[in-house]
């Protein structure tokens, strides 16, 4: 048996919380001294405390936790609950990040309204893993890559819908090989918590990029490519244009009407 202070230390909680858990009946001490009221705990009660803290972290109310603990939660069940909640948190993070990127893009478009030229921004692009498919386009022309990209996205969406996978932030990645006209085209969505059957988990690394925002139909995105190419030439990055790596992040791309689409185009600098 250990006193409440030592039990709190072992369990990584405060004595105030242990008193609260006692008061509401979810974790009562093994013994209470009738004269002093001092609480003592058995070390084996740490297993219950660990489950309590984990369930609280999962968002369960203390009433719900009391019922679950009363029914008994074995380690396998606890692991399953944690994985489900982890997947939910990851989904929320992806959605929140996508919303933040959309707002940031809108702000850049507003700033652009007062300037004569397209705004080019350099920044560090975060690493992202996408559930994807890839194919080779015969060259880098919009006619070649556009057809391949649309076909890939159709297949990716079909496979994700088949397993009810969450889709957030469509991403296209174009990789040119040295000395070749062909381009590898990768299309996918930010990967959910688990892999998606039939799709490849492809990791885009952290990298410095030059980026601009394109708004409107994809048929007009060549203007954004040209602006970034001119920027690269003017800023000593002309070598990158020999075998460039481009990323397209589709921030707003709902439906077939592309009038209001917003795409962030990025040229990898490293």
């Amino acid at each position: 048996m250990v006193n409440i202070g030592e039990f709190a230390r072992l369990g990584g909680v405060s004595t105030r919380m242990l008193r609260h858990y006692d008061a509401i009946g979810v974790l009562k001490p093994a013994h209470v001294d009738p004269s002093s009221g001092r609480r003592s705990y058995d070390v084996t009660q740490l297993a219950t405390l660990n489950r309590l803290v984990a369930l609280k972290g999962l968002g369960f109310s203390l009433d719900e936790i009391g019922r679950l603990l009363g029914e008994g939660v074995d380690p396998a069940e606890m692991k399953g609950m944690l994985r489900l909640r982890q997947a939910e948190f990851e989904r929320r993070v992806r959605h929140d990040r996508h919303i933040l990127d959309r707002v940031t893009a809108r702000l850049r478009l507003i700033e652009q309204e007062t300037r004569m030229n397209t705004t080019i921004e350099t920044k560090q692009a975060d690493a992202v893993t996408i559930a994807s498919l890839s194919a080779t386009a015969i060259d880098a022309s919009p006619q070649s890559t556009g057809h391949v990209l649309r076909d890939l996205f159709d297949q990716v969406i079909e496979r994700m819908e088949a397993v009810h996978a969450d889709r957030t932030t469509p991403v296209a990645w174009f990789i040119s090989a040295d000395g070749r006209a062909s381009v590898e085209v990768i299309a996918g969505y930010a990967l959910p918590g688990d892999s998606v059957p039939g799709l490849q988990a492809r990791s885009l690394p952290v990298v410095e990029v030059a980026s601009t925002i394109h708004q409107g139909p994809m048929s007009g995105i060549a203007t954004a490519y040209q602006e970034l190419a001119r920027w690269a030439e003017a800023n000593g990055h002309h070598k990158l244009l020999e075998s460039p790596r481009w990323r397209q992040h589709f921030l707003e791309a709902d439906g077939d009407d592309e009038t209001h689409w917003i795409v962030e185009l990025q040229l990898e600098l490293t």
Side-chain angles (χ1 to χ4, degrees), residues 54 60 129:
F60 289 96
T129 300

Side-chain angles (χ1 to χ4, degrees), residues 158-227:
E158 181 180 355
R159 296 182 190 189
M160 294 187 81
E161 286 184 342
V163 294
H164 308 289
D166 179 61
R167 295 203 316 272
T168 305
T169 313
V171 177
W173 196 20
F174 304 90
I175 301 176
S176 299
D178 290 336
R180 297 181 184 177
S182 61
V183 176
E184 183 183 8
V185 181
I186 301 100
Y189 287 81
L191 189 65
D194 297 315
S195 60
V196 177
L199 297 178
Q200 179 186 10
R202 192 76 177 251
S203 295
L204 282 68
V206 174
V207 67
E208 193 76 14
V209 300
S211 80
T212 189
I213 304 297
H214 168 72
Q215 183 177 28
M218 293 301 290
S219 59
I221 200 170
T223 300
Y225 275 100
Q226 291 173 22
E227 290 288 347

Side-chain angles (χ1 to χ4, degrees), residues 34-35 53 60 62 87 124 139 150 152 163 165-166 197 205 211 217 264 267:
S35 58
V53 173
F60 289 96
L62 288 175
Q124 180 176 282
D139 57 46
R150 284 190 294 272
L152 289 174
V163 294
D166 179 61
S211 80
E264 181 175 5
L267 171 63

Side-chain angles (χ1 to χ4, degrees), residues 248-262:
Q248 291 178 3
H249 286 239
F250 295 83
L251 303 177
E252 292 187 20
D254 296 326
D256 295 328
D257 181 5
E258 299 180 2
T259 306
H260 301 292
W261 279 25
I262 296 179

Side-chain angles (χ1 to χ4, degrees), residues 88-263:
E88 173 62 18
F89 285 156
E90 288 175 349
R91 186 192 69 80
R92 289 182 190 175
V93 168
R94 286 196 310 276
H95 279 268
D96 289 347
R97 181 55 189 267
H98 185 60
I99 291 171
L100 178 60
D101 287 343
R102 288 169 62 179
V103 171
T104 302
R106 286 283 181 183
L107 288 172
R108 287 176 64 182
L109 287 170
I110 290 170
E111 291 172 355
Q112 220 165 271
E113 292 172 359
T114 61
R115 300 176 183 177
M116 295 297 292
N117 299 317
T118 302
T119 302
I120 307 295
E121 177 183 281
T122 57
K123 66 178 186 179
Q124 180 176 282
D126 293 334
V128 60
T129 300
I130 58 175
S132 69
L133 290 173
S134 63
T136 301
I138 59 174
D139 57 46
S141 67
Q143 292 78 12
S144 298
T145 58
H147 171 74
V148 171
L149 188 62
R150 284 190 294 272
D151 184 56
L152 289 174
F153 268 125
D154 286 343
Q155 293 181 60
V156 170
I157 291 170
E158 181 180 355
R159 296 182 190 189
M160 294 187 81
E161 286 184 342
V163 294
H164 308 289
D166 179 61
R167 295 203 316 272
T168 305
T169 313
V171 177
W173 196 20
F174 304 90
I175 301 176
S176 299
D178 290 336
R180 297 181 184 177
S182 61
V183 176
E184 183 183 8
V185 181
I186 301 100
Y189 287 81
L191 189 65
D194 297 315
S195 60
V196 177
L199 297 178
Q200 179 186 10
R202 192 76 177 251
S203 295
L204 282 68
V206 174
V207 67
E208 193 76 14
V209 300
S211 80
T212 189
I213 304 297
H214 168 72
Q215 183 177 28
M218 293 301 290
S219 59
I221 200 170
T223 300
Y225 275 100
Q226 291 173 22
E227 290 288 347
L228 280 172
R230 281 193 285 268
W231 179 92
E233 286 281 359
N235 289 273
H237 297 290
H238 56 279
K239 279 287 187 182
L240 294 174
L241 300 176
E242 295 176 5
S243 300
R245 291 192 173 203
W246 300 92
R247 299 184 186 188
Q248 291 178 3
H249 286 239
F250 295 83
L251 303 177
E252 292 187 20
D254 296 326
D256 295 328
D257 181 5
E258 299 180 2
T259 306
H260 301 292
W261 279 25
I262 296 179
V263 180

